[in-house]
Amino acid sequence: NLVSQLKLTTVQCEATAFRAADGSPMICNKRIPNLKWFIQGQTFISDAKVLPLRCSDLILGEDWLEEHSPI
């Protein structure tokens, strides 16, 4: 819903299967290239995969955490 509300441009990508915390399957076949987003005064630009999330607007993936986490 957020992608539609913000009128973000998506492109097709290879379908990837994900599993939600409740065990339900989700398929991603779209992404947003070079999404610019902000958190706690910091700006990031990332490719974002589009998933049918119900409770969250954005989930940071393991690849982002590995690149930006101090741990």
Side-chain angles (χ1 to χ4, degrees):
N1 290 334
L2 184 64
V3 172
S4 297
Q5 289 174 4
L6 297 177
K7 297 181 172 96
L8 298 172
T9 302
T10 62
V11 296
Q12 293 292 319
C13 64
E14 183 177 339
T16 306
F18 294 90
R19 190 162 306 277
D22 68 0
S24 62
M26 295 185 291
I27 301 294
C28 169
N29 61 1
K30 294 180 186 173
R31 66 181 178 86
I32 304 165
N34 300 314
L35 176 66
K36 186 175 183 179
W37 55 282
F38 310 87
I39 187 168
Q40 295 184 343
Q42 299 294 314
T43 302
F44 298 94
I45 298 176
S46 309
D47 284 353
K49 294 179 180 178
V50 179
L51 290 168
L53 302 174
R54 288 181 259 157
C55 300
S56 302
D57 292 332
L58 179 69
I59 296 175
L60 300 176
E62 185 177 332
D63 55 345
W64 185 90
L65 292 171
E66 286 177 356
E67 184 176 337
H68 297 284
S69 176
I71 297 175

